[in-house]
Amino acid sequence: MRRALFALGVLAMVGVAVACSDGQAANTGAGEPMQVSGAQFVPGELPGELPVDGGPAEPEGGAHATLGPLTVAEVDFNNVNVIPGASGKSFSGLVTSDAVAVGVRLAGIGTGYWVVPVGGRDGQLPTTDDFAFSASFDINDPPGNRPLRVVAIDAHGNGGTQLDTELCLEWRIPDNRHECDPANPVPAVVFTLQWDTNFDVDLHVITPDGTDVNPKTNLLAYPVDAGQPPASDPRIDRDSLGQCVPDGWRQEDMIFPDYPALGLYDIYADPFASCGQAAVRFVLTIYEAGSDGALHATFTQAGELLGSSATGGGSTGLFIAEKQFN
Amino acid sequence: MFDARFRRVALALGAALLYPGKALAQSPPPPPPPTEAAPGTAAQDVASLRDEVKALRADLDEVRAAQSAGSSPAAATPRPLGYESFWPWVVPPEGLSLKGYLQSQYETHQDSQDQLTQAGTTLNQDRFSIRRARVSLTGEWQYAALALELDANTTSGPQVDLRKAEASLQYRPDRKRPPILMATLGLFDVPFGYELVESPRTRLFMERSVASRAFFPAEPDLGLRLSGALGFFRWTIAGQNGEPLGESSPFVLQDPNAAKDVVFRFGIDTQPLRVLQVAADVSSLRGRGFHGGTAATSATIQWKDLNEDGVIQPYELIPVPGADATPSSNFDRWAVGGDLRASVQSLLGVTKVYGEFTIAQNLDRGLYIADPVVTGVDQRELGYYIGIVQDVTPWGVVGLRYDHYDPNFDAVDKRQGKLLPFSEGISTWSPLAALVLPDRARLVVQYDVIRNAFARTATGVPTSLPDNVFTVRLQVEL
């Protein structure tokens, strides 16, 4: 009995020690600002040397004529702009053939990097190998210009010189990419309704003339003769969770590109369909353009709707706030 | 348990009947001095007393017979060196009996994360849970037998499952031994190898080996089983649907194809020495897996954001024509295996050494699910384990098991444009220690050291993802 107790005690202590220690916990990178499909997440800094300011000097005789060891020759993608929560954005590139893998991360944010094994020899540049990966971005990534940092890694884990390629991470609040290019003017006012579960909530805004703008009739002024509505017209940008189809946003925005018509605006949250949820917590935020040319939150109101109060569009729902424009 | 309780009740009843009998014989006051009575009256009294004694003797014989009937099967139930028999070799008490046990546990996994999967299930595995709460009812009669078992657990949220529903006809002339011939129709454990038929109540290790769980996500399946025990020889032949409980398919405990999985298991179970028990079996399985076809679809339009600007351009709209339904098809699968176990009684207690191996093709239904219709290549699999369990006095047990599962002999990894062979094998070392209250409760602590190929090194080479598991389990039996 004594020996059994001793053995049990030893095993329990080992188990508790392992369970409680930090150890090398498995981390699949699920909480990272960028996730790369099929790649391995490695906590820590990228190996290799920090990027050269202004990018690597182009060698004589063309871009890829005489590449140094462990060099990322190029990184290609379709669009420099990354829409919030973008999924499956494609990247590809070339790396010198002494590399077995490339490491990838967003510079300055996140806790580690992703390792992507290189592919086969490039058909046109025999001293380089191809690599390709598909990346997804967290919808709450800090907006603004952010370098995608890539480094070539050899079989011993050594890295070459890192290469930065600028991306524009767009803000989930529609600001006309002002965060990336301050020359872009922000909308004058944005009403943003966000919520926490897959519940079809609709933002309703009753304008001073009594018009109900909502995701189902999302324009304040409709175009004539099937033309395009002017970009300056106020509108609601999307019907999030429409038909209860999850879209990852759980957000609707009423955008006023120009200063709204004067008067009192009533704002409602309509529990259109519960989508099987018992309740939903929401928050309304009003953003207004500041003197610095950026959007700033000027009003916030939170609340809760119950699944049993779903309207199916029969009413404007719960009154949240009113906003007076003078 | 039921049997022991019945025995105690019967003994108490017998004692109660006997005790008043003696008391009555002793407690009455001494009879009054005999008076002059007619000789005819005295003879009547003697006759009456004789009748009364005869009736009491008959009652006593009846009680003794009842006691004897109630106790003999239990006394005869073989318990090979401390480890219980498994189905269909269990010799249950005559009549109906009820059993049950509860396994509640805490576990912590190294790869646990406070996140959800794409399907919305939790990645956190550090938790308390009810692993098994089982109640079983067995019925044992001369030519018929019945076994029912219900399981409730919280492994994937609260759920209740039917684990056994066996209706059997049997020929069992020696009531102390398993049946010479038994035919069972219903829901029973797939009789392949030892791990599947060993009850989780008696198995000390937390779960079956990885290979066994990949091939058979849960033990029971529906079908017909013929089995028998003649001396040391054991045989089982079964035909089953081939869609066992726990399978990752919409056809669990149903059958999408007419072909049945046929399982053979032949072996020995013998005790050549008083202190040594040896058992060995070979098993084989042959069946047909099912690849589901697709339903007809309507024409649709897809949007692919080619320039990744979040705005629909005409060239980004892709027409997807309606597609005709595709037919379902079957594929062959098979497995062969062998298992060996030996138990030795010593002063310390029982030492049990056992092992098992399985070679299979297209049988994985739980982990790397095989479907050669899709891949065009048969998936060849290998699994084995070896374990030792040592009693340390009647109140303690220690054990160690090593198991390995290679889900695909032909796995390759692509690096630098080359296809390189690599092993997807998963190996687990599982040391354990347990405190035991014999026949009532046990507290088991187990630590699984797992090596796999789920991750990559910083140079892109496949390596192990840390996912060791620590489990504490308390089991209490009815």
Side-chain angles (χ1 to χ4, degrees):
Chain A
M1 186 68 178
R2 211 174 295 164
R3 270 176 286 190
L5 277 172
F6 176 74
L8 188 68
V10 169
L11 199 57
M13 282 188 289
V14 169
V16 169
V18 172
C20 296
S21 66
D22 289 333
Q24 190 188 355
N27 186 346
T28 59
E32 290 299 302
M34 179 178 75
Q35 289 102 42
V36 179
S37 302
Q40 174 65 44
F41 180 74
V42 180
E45 292 298 324
L46 272 177
E49 298 166 20
L50 287 173
V52 180
D53 284 343
E58 187 170 303
E60 291 179 15
H64 307 301
T66 50
L67 292 169
L70 291 178
T71 301
V72 178
E74 61 182 63
V75 178
D76 304 315
F77 45 88
N78 288 334
N79 196 324
V80 70
N81 299 311
V82 180
I83 57 178
S87 171
K89 187 173 175 71
S90 299
F91 295 87
S92 60
L94 292 173
V95 65
T96 50
S97 52
D98 52 349
V100 296
V102 292
V104 185
R105 69 173 297 166
L106 287 175
I109 55 175
T111 62
Y113 62 96
W114 299 86
V115 173
V116 181
V118 301
R121 192 59 45 90
D122 185 76
Q124 296 180 337
L125 297 167
T127 58
T128 60
D129 287 351
D130 300 318
F131 67 86
F133 60 91
S134 173
S136 299
F137 296 81
D138 191 318
I139 198 169
N140 293 312
D141 281 347
N145 292 316
R146 179 75 56 181
L148 177 76
R149 190 162 287 174
V150 185
V151 68
I153 301 172
D154 70 10
H156 304 292
N158 302 314
T161 302
Q162 299 163 5
L163 177 68
D164 276 357
T165 309
E166 204 76 5
L167 295 177
C168 165
L169 304 184
E170 296 181 14
W171 194 16
R172 67 179 296 171
I173 307 302
D175 72 340
N176 197 24
R177 295 192 193 115
H178 176 82
E179 291 284 345
C180 296
D181 183 358
N184 291 340
V186 298
V189 178
V190 178
F191 298 161
T192 296
L193 184 69
Q194 295 174 316
W195 57 96
D196 68 342
T197 62
N198 286 336
F199 194 120
D200 183 3
V201 182
D202 284 345
L203 170 66
H204 284 249
V205 178
I206 310 296
T207 62
D209 66 358
T211 304
D212 178 3
V213 185
N214 59 72
K216 274 67 181 175
T217 52
N218 67 325
L219 297 175
L220 187 54
Y222 276 80
V224 181
D225 294 336
Q228 289 289 327
S232 60
D233 278 1
R235 71 193 70 196
I236 287 180
D237 57 358
R238 72 178 66 83
D239 184 5
S240 186
L241 267 295
Q243 310 287 332
C244 289
V245 177
D247 54 8
W249 277 90
R250 299 173 185 167
Q251 173 180 324
E252 292 171 0
D253 307 284
M254 175 80 180
I255 306 165
F256 297 90
D258 298 327
Y259 200 78
L262 301 184
L264 190 65
Y265 290 75
D266 292 336
I267 307 169
Y268 294 80
D270 174 21
F272 186 89
S274 69
C275 307
Q277 304 292 330
V280 60
R281 270 71 42 190
F282 65 82
V283 60
L284 169 77
T285 309
I286 297 177
Y287 296 89
E288 297 183 72
S291 55
D292 58 354
L295 281 178
H296 298 278
T298 57
F299 175 84
T300 299
Q301 176 69 53
E304 183 170 6
L305 297 166
L306 300 180
S308 57
S309 62
T311 64
S315 76
T316 53
L318 179 72
F319 172 75
I320 312 173
E322 61 183 15
K323 176 68 179 172
Q324 178 76 44
F325 291 104
N326 298 314
Chain B
M1 188 51 54
F2 188 80
D3 166 64
R5 219 175 259 178
F6 178 79
R7 206 162 53 230
R8 283 196 292 273
V9 170
L11 283 168
L13 181 61
L17 284 171
L18 289 172
Y19 185 72
K22 286 181 184 171
L24 282 172
Q26 294 169 358
S27 60
T35 55
E36 290 296 323
T41 311
Q44 282 175 358
D45 286 348
V46 169
S48 166
L49 285 170
R50 279 184 179 152
D51 289 344
E52 195 174 335
V53 168
K54 201 181 286 181
L56 284 170
R57 185 166 292 156
D59 287 349
L60 185 59
D61 288 345
E62 203 172 310
V63 168
R64 281 179 177 158
Q67 283 179 348
S68 170
S71 60
S72 60
T77 301
R79 200 169 184 188
L81 295 185
Y83 293 98
E84 292 187 20
S85 301
F86 48 85
W87 292 91
W89 316 124
V90 174
V91 180
E94 298 287 338
L96 289 173
S97 56
L98 187 68
K99 283 193 173 183
Y101 64 96
L102 171 66
Q103 293 176 342
S104 49
Q105 66 186 35
Y106 175 76
E107 61 193 299
T108 176
H109 293 238
Q110 229 178 337
D111 63 343
S112 184
Q113 293 182 76
D114 296 350
Q115 300 288 345
L116 299 178
T117 64
Q118 180 68 17
T121 55
T122 59
L123 284 175
N124 173 49
Q125 300 171 83
D126 298 346
R127 57 174 182 161
F128 295 97
S129 67
I130 301 299
R131 184 64 187 88
R132 296 177 183 89
R134 294 194 179 176
V135 181
S136 63
L137 177 71
T138 57
E140 181 67 21
W141 300 280
Q142 189 171 9
Y143 295 116
L146 169 115
L148 272 175
E149 186 171 68
L150 283 176
D151 174 67
N153 64 73
T154 63
T155 304
S156 305
Q159 64 182 56
V160 178
D161 285 323
L162 187 61
R163 305 296 292 209
K164 270 193 182 65
E166 303 184 14
S168 303
L169 295 174
Q170 61 178 347
Y171 177 59
R172 196 176 134 210
D174 184 345
R175 307 304 291 175
K176 297 177 184 175
R177 293 181 180 280
I180 291 176
L181 178 63
M182 184 185 224
T184 301
L185 197 58
L187 180 70
F188 52 85
D189 296 342
V190 180
F192 185 96
Y194 174 61
E195 277 194 299
L196 279 168
V197 291
E198 183 189 25
S199 169
R201 184 171 69 89
T202 57
R203 183 185 59 233
L204 274 165
F205 294 98
M206 298 294 169
E207 304 298 335
R208 288 179 286 126
S209 64
V210 174
S212 182
R213 281 179 282 149
F215 296 145
F216 306 94
E219 296 88 352
D221 194 4
L222 288 154
L224 168 68
R225 180 184 65 201
L226 299 174
S227 60
L230 201 57
F232 61 82
F233 181 59
R234 302 281 185 274
W235 63 274
T236 310
I237 300 173
Q240 295 185 286
N241 283 343
E243 308 291 336
L245 192 67
E247 189 184 50
S248 301
S249 96
F251 311 113
V252 173
L253 295 186
Q254 303 174 61
D255 201 356
N257 58 19
K260 303 301 166 217
D261 281 13
V262 179
V263 184
F264 291 86
R265 187 162 193 262
F266 297 97
I268 59 163
D269 190 340
T270 182
Q271 197 163 347
L273 303 173
R274 193 180 55 80
V275 295
L276 173 66
Q277 188 212 6
V278 178
D281 297 88
V282 290
S283 307
S284 76
L285 178 150
R286 187 169 183 87
R288 303 201 113 191
F290 182 76
H291 167 80
T294 57
T297 61
S298 302
T300 58
I301 292 176
Q302 283 184 351
W303 171 51
K304 183 164 176 54
D305 191 9
L306 294 173
N307 61 5
E308 297 172 348
D309 65 350
V311 178
I312 295 177
Q313 309 292 339
Y315 59 86
E316 294 176 337
L317 294 177
I318 303 166
V320 180
D324 193 9
T326 60
S328 302
S329 54
N330 296 325
F331 58 87
D332 288 330
R333 62 186 176 207
W334 58 261
V336 293
D339 58 89
L340 174 68
R341 53 198 181 281
S343 300
V344 183
Q345 176 80 55
S346 65
L347 289 177
L348 202 57
V350 174
T351 307
K352 180 184 178 184
V353 181
Y354 63 126
E356 184 171 349
F357 77 93
T358 305
I359 299 171
Q361 183 168 292
N362 302 329
L363 190 63
D364 193 322
R365 294 172 282 194
L367 196 59
Y368 288 79
I369 296 168
D371 189 343
V373 176
V374 173
T375 61
V377 180
D378 288 322
Q379 191 168 313
R380 302 185 297 154
E381 302 127 349
L382 168 71
Y384 61 87
Y385 70 85
I386 183 164
I388 181 168
V389 177
Q390 173 67 56
D391 284 352
V392 185
T393 76
W395 303 283
V397 183
V398 292
L400 177 66
R401 184 180 71 182
Y402 172 76
D403 78 78
H404 179 80
Y405 175 50
D406 187 340
N408 187 0
F409 283 172
D410 307 307
V412 290
D413 185 45
K414 188 175 181 184
R415 298 198 297 275
Q416 287 188 291
K418 301 173 191 137
L419 290 177
L420 305 172
F422 92 112
S423 171
E424 294 180 330
I426 302 169
S427 301
T428 309
W429 285 96
S430 304
L432 70 78
L435 282 177
V436 179
L437 287 175
D439 294 326
R440 180 58 64 200
R442 68 186 188 211
L443 178 67
V444 189
V445 177
Q446 179 175 319
Y447 188 71
D448 297 315
V449 181
I450 301 171
R451 292 288 171 266
N452 55 43
F454 293 158
R456 288 184 186 275
T457 64
T459 58
V461 179
T463 188
S464 185
L465 177 76
D467 64 346
N468 297 348
V469 183
F470 174 71
T471 312
V472 183
R473 176 181 290 174
L474 178 61
Q475 173 174 319
V476 179
E477 303 173 15
L478 278 182

